[in-house]
Amino acid sequence: MAGVWVFEDGMVRRADSEAPSRGRGVGGGGGGGKVLVHVPSSEVVTSYEVLERRLRELGWERYLNDPCLLQFHQRSTVHLISVPRDFSRLKLVHMYDVVVKTRNVFEVRDAATTAAPP
């Protein structure tokens, strides 16, 4: 994960990453998309139901009821994971927010090299 990383407004992002319109989100076109993977099970996160189930296993809970965001927090930390309510708007920066706050549990991988779930 080389490159320049910027922490801004509670989110981490690569300063040299491509614009979101170039297929950096979850089903980015042209095979250049990225996917969020639950490492222990090798499960690709294909919906918020999958993400929430895996986060609950780690002690994360839903936080507040925002019309635009889904938010999760752990009682034992000050961390807050925020993702857009519409899964199709999940971007690379949101995936890395999950990765950074759940070390060694989630990874971002190239969609082209990640096997589809059965």
Side-chain angles (χ1 to χ4, degrees):
M1 293 189 1
V4 178
W5 292 87
V6 178
F7 186 80
E8 184 175 278
D9 296 326
M11 302 290 279
V12 67
R13 67 174 176 80
R14 277 186 58 171
D16 55 349
S17 66
E18 295 177 12
S21 62
R22 290 185 156 170
R24 292 298 232 167
V26 168
K34 303 287 187 178
V35 292
L36 184 64
V37 177
H38 180 254
V39 175
S41 67
S42 298
E43 180 179 21
V44 176
V45 176
T46 56
S47 68
Y48 283 139
E49 290 77 21
V50 172
L51 178 61
E52 185 167 5
R53 178 173 37 91
R54 294 302 185 179
L55 289 174
R56 282 185 185 275
E57 291 171 1
L58 299 170
W60 291 81
E61 301 173 346
R62 271 283 181 96
Y63 185 72
L64 298 179
N65 191 11
D66 187 292
C68 299
L69 297 172
L70 290 180
Q71 296 180 313
F72 302 93
H73 81 289
Q74 278 184 315
R75 291 180 188 257
S76 60
T77 70
V78 296
H79 295 303
L80 185 67
I81 294 174
S82 298
V83 292
R85 191 168 284 278
D86 180 1
F87 189 75
S88 67
R89 297 186 66 212
L90 187 71
K91 303 291 183 207
L92 191 58
V93 69
H94 302 114
M95 292 185 224
Y96 277 113
D97 187 33
V98 173
V99 168
V100 167
K101 293 172 182 164
T102 60
R103 298 219 183 270
N104 303 319
V105 178
F106 288 93
E107 287 181 352
V108 174
R109 298 182 185 165
D110 291 325
T113 61
T114 304

